[in-house]
Amino acid sequence: MSRFDRDTNVKKTTGGIYEARIDRGWWIVRGPNGGYIAAILVRAMQAEVADEERTLRSLTVHYLRPPAEGPAIVATQIERAGRGVTSITARLEQDGRVQALATAAFARSRGGPALQPLRMPEVRPPQDCPRRGTGLAAMHERYDTRVAL
């Protein structure tokens, strides 16, 4: 299991309630990275939908305030489960206050237009490319960024 998997893990308690933990390793300037918080919300919503045929198709997250490091609760609510689409909301809460609010749609796969595969440009292998600095935020230590032009 990767660190990201561990740090975005949720545990169901009762009803649509999940326990989570906000890890300081994903901090940027003022608080945790928004994508990290979104991943925690999505994990709880996926668990609540509990249908592998329905995958995430859309996600909107409103960040009301920066969550603090430590325990959090994700309260989920299936708003509607139809034949092909499940609409669900989730609220990340700490100390009784909503920190982030998400709305998502999970749906079964349907046919669509065929996409033409594109070929990636040829570049040097990563070990032969120069490293880029990590930046000031703790989260940047998670990346090995290399420049390949």
Side-chain angles (χ1 to χ4, degrees), residues 100-116:
L101 175 64
T103 303
F106 288 78
R108 291 192 172 110
S109 214
R110 297 193 317 198
L115 301 176
Q116 297 299 319

Side-chain angles (χ1 to χ4, degrees), residues 49 54-55 57-58 78 80-88 104-108 110:
V49 169
R54 293 178 189 235
T55 58
R57 302 298 177 172
S58 70
I78 292 180
R80 182 175 189 277
R83 288 184 305 228
V85 178
T86 298
S87 298
I88 184 169
F106 288 78
R108 291 192 172 110
R110 297 193 317 198

